[in-house]
Amino acid sequence: MALLADGVSRLLIDGKLTSGGAGGFATVNPATEEVLGEAANADAADMDRAIGAARRAFDETDWSTNTELRVRCIRQLREAMLEHVEELRDLTIADVGAPRMLTAGAQLEGPINDLSFAADTAENYEWTQDLGEASPMGIPTRRSVVREAVGVVGAITPWNFPHQINLAKLGPALAAGNTVVLKPAPDTPWVAAVLGELIAEKTDIPPGVVNIVTSTDHALGAMLAKDQRVDLVSFTGSTATGRSVMADAAATIKKVFLELGGKSAFLVLDDADLAAACSVAGFSVCLHAGQGCAITTRLVVPRARYDEAVAIAAGTMGSIKAGDPSKPGTICGPVISARQRDRVQSYLDLAIEEGGTFACGGGRPADQPAGFFIEPTVIAGLTNEARVAREEIFGPVLTVIPHDGDDDAVRIANDSPYGLSATVYGADAERAAGVAARLRAGTVNVNGGVWYSADMPFGGYKQSGNGREMGVAGFEEYLEIKAIATAAN
């Protein structure tokens, strides 16, 4: 089979690939602004059918209890994606604007292979824990704790790393025994829709277990949060939308997992190799045009070496040109849309209004007449109180902030409504670890350590969300706990 052979994607509802009730909508290549093709545009009736199908599949089939079937199906999906990995690579570059180099990692191959972790976890998990016999209140009792699927999961995902986030929800949710309705971002509908094709044609996943509903109507996501047939909502996106999801879910007291925004700090201690640290910070902000919630976009450096740090970061970022993501050497591709490009530009304009300066970049690259590109930009001359230092920009933009020692660096890092990630660089490993321990962040990189891995939990503190994705902790987000006490006569 060829993926999206006719240039049109379809919904997956109750095991069938179908057109959308609201017709179709164009999906656009953000690097060229060319229309790639058409995606199915679901309406409220489509979402209602998808939720109903997921509910029936959970209530009326053995999916939730047949671990062997679930494990086999997840492995089939992994193999199907690997079989079509080159088609998926080209599709991801075109639909997402993801640089080709990243498709060997978190933009494609990493998430595909991480499905093995979900399958292996389910296969080896201790679903029932025997607590033995006791006599609470004098009554001999045999006790056990059982973990079982939550039920119907509504998964709402963004556009920046769609394979990673779609599969980080689908894999564990399915492995745990749930059924799923996936509502992906309308900016990247094709990379989600191809999952529907592969599931329908290459796996034994029963009808209704996975439903994929693409739509330009954001109200369909609210339907998942509000509908009493949905038992858990797993949302990744902006903090503002996360608040709405939580509020909508409150009416039915359903479980809510939120992975939200970030404004993460990269702390350079006064004993660190300044050139190495600031170069790493600048490089990381350019990856995928800075469109990552955990990217460290505040570079916090010793005040005495501030100008030097700015120059190093600007040297690195100024040498990285925003360009064609299909080329092997591209690091910084386009942002996802004209709207996002304009949003990033509005923050760059704000930086000047706030009294900042650009050490490099500051606007659209002159050599890219088409596409949604922004130059890698270093902002200098502002404090942590500036809006560009406090609000998530989601572009290749780094703000450099001075600190007056370790305590001040920690204060600046923690002085944020967010707490998703952080980085610490320092020559004294024990000192750097001590600083890391004081940071209010869900993931911390010390001296270049990598926290991204299938077996590592990912999530944030404060307004960066609640719960964890990936790792055993991420798998257990999709489980309920049942205590069983049987009289022992």
Side-chain angles (χ1 to χ4, degrees):
M1 62 178 283
L3 301 177
L4 300 176
D6 59 357
V8 178
S9 72
R10 291 167 177 81
L11 312 176
L12 176 64
I13 299 178
D14 206 9
K16 298 181 176 62
L17 297 171
T18 180
S19 301
F25 65 97
T27 184
V28 175
N29 184 326
T32 64
E33 302 183 48
E34 296 173 348
V35 173
L36 296 170
E38 185 175 279
N41 199 9
D43 59 14
D46 293 322
M47 179 59 82
D48 182 71
R49 288 193 300 115
I51 295 171
R55 187 76 260 169
R56 287 192 302 275
F58 185 81
D59 292 341
E60 299 175 10
T61 76
D62 70 344
W63 176 259
S64 67
T65 57
N66 192 337
T67 304
E68 182 181 354
L69 171 63
R70 300 199 306 271
V71 168
R72 183 174 79 248
C73 288
I74 292 168
R75 289 176 176 157
Q76 286 173 338
L77 178 58
R78 176 181 176 274
E79 291 305 312
M81 295 188 76
L82 289 175
E83 179 185 342
H84 291 274
V85 71
E86 294 308 322
E87 285 180 84
L88 289 169
R89 194 184 317 281
D90 291 339
L91 177 65
T92 304
I93 294 167
D95 199 26
V96 185
R100 180 175 295 276
M101 63 176 290
L102 292 182
T103 63
Q107 281 288 10
L108 179 62
E109 292 184 41
I112 293 173
N113 287 315
D114 288 350
L115 287 171
S116 290
F117 179 82
D120 293 348
T121 301
E123 192 171 47
N124 299 302
Y125 194 69
E126 186 180 11
W127 297 94
T128 300
Q129 181 182 10
D130 184 358
L131 296 186
E133 189 170 315
S135 297
M137 293 182 283
I139 301 174
T141 303
R142 290 190 299 273
R143 301 158 308 141
S144 61
V145 175
V146 177
R147 287 172 170 81
E148 58 189 27
V150 171
V152 175
V153 171
I156 307 170
T157 59
W159 42 259
N160 58 327
F161 282 80
H163 289 300
Q164 166 59 40
I165 300 168
N166 291 342
L167 295 179
K169 296 186 190 302
L170 276 176
L174 296 175
N178 301 280
T179 59
V180 180
V181 179
L182 171 63
K183 165 65 172 69
D187 304 86
T188 52
W190 273 13
V191 294
V194 293
L195 289 177
E197 287 192 10
L198 293 172
I199 287 168
E201 299 181 17
K202 295 282 190 175
T203 79
D204 296 325
I205 294 176
V209 167
V210 178
N211 305 272
I212 300 175
V213 182
T214 57
S215 178
T216 57
D217 186 355
H218 293 286
L220 299 194
M223 284 181 65
L224 285 171
K226 293 176 180 177
D227 198 297
Q228 63 182 358
R229 295 170 294 178
V230 176
D231 300 291
L232 181 153
V233 174
S234 181
F235 170 79
T236 298
S238 73
T239 295
T241 305
R243 290 191 190 99
S244 297
V245 169
M246 181 174 277
D248 288 339
T252 53
I253 318 295
K254 58 171 56 74
K255 294 183 71 173
V256 178
F257 164 78
L258 301 174
E259 195 274 284
L260 307 176
K263 192 68 178 181
S264 301
F266 190 121
L267 305 188
V268 182
L269 307 186
D270 61 17
D271 67 341
D273 181 334
L274 191 74
C278 293
S279 294
V280 169
F283 179 85
S284 65
V285 171
C286 295
L287 287 169
H288 192 35
Q291 297 172 112
C293 53
I295 291 175
T296 46
T297 54
R298 291 183 292 153
L299 177 59
V300 185
V301 301
R303 187 179 299 275
R305 303 185 70 183
Y306 182 79
D307 291 344
E308 185 182 356
V310 169
I312 294 166
T316 297
M317 293 181 66
S319 70
I320 297 173
K321 305 302 181 185
D324 183 352
S326 68
K327 293 183 177 179
T330 298
I331 295 165
C332 181
V335 296
I336 192 64
S337 64
R339 180 181 62 184
Q340 180 63 16
R341 180 191 61 204
D342 293 346
R343 181 179 183 273
V344 175
Q345 186 63 58
S346 73
Y347 274 105
L348 298 180
D349 296 343
L350 176 63
I352 300 301
E353 293 174 17
E354 291 186 304
T357 60
F358 299 138
C360 68
R364 298 182 60 175
D367 62 345
Q368 298 292 345
F372 310 128
F373 293 96
I374 288 284
E375 296 173 303
T377 301
V378 173
I379 299 172
L382 296 176
T383 68
N384 198 53
E385 283 66 47
R387 282 182 58 194
V388 294
R390 303 194 69 79
E391 298 177 14
E392 188 173 41
I393 297 174
F394 234 59
V397 181
L398 181 68
T399 303
V400 188
I401 302 166
H403 74 73
D404 296 307
D406 293 4
D407 290 347
D408 193 42
V410 170
R411 178 193 64 79
I412 291 168
N414 289 340
D415 181 17
S416 170
Y418 302 110
L420 189 54
S421 74
T423 293
V424 180
Y425 264 64
D428 184 328
E430 185 176 350
R431 176 185 172 193
V435 169
R438 297 162 62 190
L439 297 175
R440 300 284 294 165
T443 56
V444 183
N445 158 355
V446 179
N447 290 332
V450 178
W451 46 257
Y452 173 72
S453 177
D455 61 347
M456 285 284 281
F458 174 73
Y461 290 19
K462 299 186 282 186
Q463 293 183 36
S464 287
N466 55 44
R468 291 295 181 270
E469 201 148 65
M470 303 174 70
V472 174
F475 175 80
E476 290 180 337
E477 291 285 348
Y478 297 99
L479 297 176
E480 290 280 20
I481 298 175
K482 178 183 289 181
I484 300 176
T486 305
N489 298 319

